[in-house]
Amino acid sequence: MNRIVTLDEFIIKRQKDFPYASGELTGLLRDIGVAAKIINREVNRAGLVNILGVEGSENQSGDIVQKLDIFSNEVMIECLANSGECCGIASEEDESIIPVNSIAGKDAKYIVVMDPLDGSSNIDVNVSVGTIFGIYRRKSDKKQLVETSDFYQKGDELVASGYVLYGTSTMLVYTTGKGVNGFTLDPSIGEFCLSHRDIQIPAKGNYYSVNQGYYSKFDLEMRRYIDHCADMNYRLRYIGSMVSDIHRILFQGGIFLYPNTRKYPLGKLRLLYECNPMSFIVEQSGGKAFNTKLKRILDEDVHDIHQKCTIAIGSPLMLDEMKQFVEKYQATTAQ
Ligand code: AHM
Ligand code: MG
C-alpha cells in the first residue's frame, strides 16, 4: 500500500527547498488548509441547513443566517489573523485592507490576498465553487501596521498561491514557485492527502472556456479566435466558477478566457484575488497567462486592490494560437 502523505507533512518537507526558511510560510499554508476544511464543511452542509438565505435573516433555530461567501471570508480572516504569520489581508469581500496586529510581539512578514468563495452565483444551486489565495512578503517596515501600498505588488512577486475547489471531492492545489501539487481531502480522516504530484498542464487541449453569451460584445480578434475554437471542434465548457473552469484546464488542457466586454471594459475578474494567483499556478505547471492585450498577467502593475483585468490562461500552445489571432485582427482593426 502506498503511504499517505498529508498536506501538513508535505509542506514541512518542502520547507527545506528554501535555504533560509524559518517555517513562517509553512505555518501560514497550514493555517489556510485548516480554513479550507472549515469552509468545506459548511459548503457541504449548505444543502442541509438553511445558510443559503439572505445575509442577516434568521434561520429556523434562531441563528443569524450568513451567506456562505461572507462566512468563508470570516473563517479565512480568523485563521489568518490568528496564525501569527500574517500581517495584513486584502479580500475581494472587503473594500479596504485588513491590517493584523502582531501576536506575542512577533512581527509577521507575509500578506495574503484572497477570494474566499469564488463563483458565488453557483452557491445556491449546488455547483462547484472555490477559494483562491496569494501570499506576498510585505514591503514596509515590519514594526508598523501594514499599508495598502504593500499590496501593490506584481504577481511576479508572489511567494505562494493556491486554490481550493469544493467539487465532487475537495482539492487544494498550491505552488511556492517550485512546481504545483494537488491534495484531495479525505473526509474519513479529515486530511488533505497528496493526490497529484508535480502537476503539468497539457501543452494543448480540447477545451475552451468562455462566456459565449457575451460573444457579440467581445472585440473582433476575440470573436475570430472563438470562431476558430468552434471550427476546430474544441469542446466548450463554462461553469461560471473560475476555479472549476481552470482546474479542468490544468488537468486536461485548454484555454480559459474572460475578455473585455462593453459592460466590463477592463474585464470582470480581479487581478489580485483571481488572476494573479491562478496565473502563478498555471505558469508553474508549464502554462501561460496573458491579458487580452497579450501582456503577461504576472507583469501587470497593481495600483488598486480591487483592480480588474482581462485574462486568457491555459495550455501554452493554445495561448500561442490565441496570440496569433489577436496580432492578426488587431492589425486589421488598426488600419
Ligand atoms: P465572483 O468573484 O463574484 O464569484 O465572480 C467571479 C466569477 C468567476 O469565478 C467566473 O469565472 C466569472 O465570475 C463568471 O462571470 P460571468 O457570469 O460574467 O461569466
Ligand atoms: Mg471571485
Side-chain angles (χ1 to χ4, degrees), residues 92 115 118-119 274:
E92 195 187 285
D115 183 351
D118 182 59
E274 293 161 333

Side-chain angles (χ1 to χ4, degrees), residues 39-54 58-68 71 123-124:
I39 296 170
N40 176 66
R41 189 189 63 203
E42 292 307 308
V43 168
N44 281 329
R45 274 169 26 136
L48 299 171
V49 292
N50 182 24
I51 64 165
L52 295 177
V54 180
E58 272 190 16
N59 66 14
Q60 283 173 346
S61 53
D63 296 334
I64 296 293
V65 167
Q66 274 189 322
K67 287 189 84 173
L68 270 178
F71 172 84
I123 298 172
D124 290 356

Side-chain angles (χ1 to χ4, degrees), residues 140-239:
S140 56
D141 180 0
K142 280 205 281 179
K143 296 273 169 229
Q144 311 291 328
L145 273 186
V146 76
E147 295 161 13
T148 306
S149 57
D150 282 307
F151 292 82
Y152 297 164
Q153 299 191 40
K154 291 183 183 180
D156 230 8
E157 297 180 75
L158 276 163
V159 173
S161 79
Y163 66 79
V164 185
L165 171 63
Y166 310 99
T168 40
S169 53
T170 296
M171 266 191 82
L172 188 150
V173 174
Y174 84 96
T175 182
T176 51
K178 290 188 186 291
V180 183
N181 292 284
F183 301 79
T184 303
L185 184 64
D186 180 342
S188 66
I189 55 170
E191 293 285 357
F192 281 105
C193 301
L194 180 62
S195 51
H196 299 78
R197 201 184 274 273
D198 194 19
I199 299 165
Q200 300 288 322
I201 193 168
K204 208 171 174 339
N206 278 322
Y207 292 105
Y208 70 113
S209 186
V210 62
N211 190 334
Q212 189 96 16
Y214 302 151
Y215 177 86
S216 63
K217 290 150 190 110
F218 294 146
D219 292 341
L220 175 73
E221 60 270 21
M222 224 17 89
R223 281 181 281 146
R224 291 295 87 92
Y225 177 63
I226 292 168
D227 294 343
H228 168 74
C229 291
D231 289 345
M232 296 294 289
N233 287 329
Y234 294 157
R235 281 173 263 171
L236 173 63
R237 295 285 186 275
Y238 192 69
I239 298 168

Side-chain angles (χ1 to χ4, degrees), residues 92 115 117-120 132 269-270 273-274:
E92 195 187 285
D115 183 351
L117 207 60
D118 182 59
S120 39
I132 311 174
L269 300 176
R270 312 292 175 135
Y273 317 118
E274 293 161 333

Side-chain angles (χ1 to χ4, degrees), residues 11 15 20-31 83-86 106-110 135 137 142 159:
I11 292 172
Q15 196 180 311
Y20 303 105
S22 51
E24 290 157 311
L25 180 62
T26 305
L28 194 50
L29 286 166
R30 291 171 69 185
D31 288 330
S83 79
E85 314 298 357
C86 172
K106 184 178 167 193
D107 300 315
K109 63 177 175 219
Y110 291 112
I135 302 174
R137 268 184 210 93
K142 280 205 281 179
V159 173

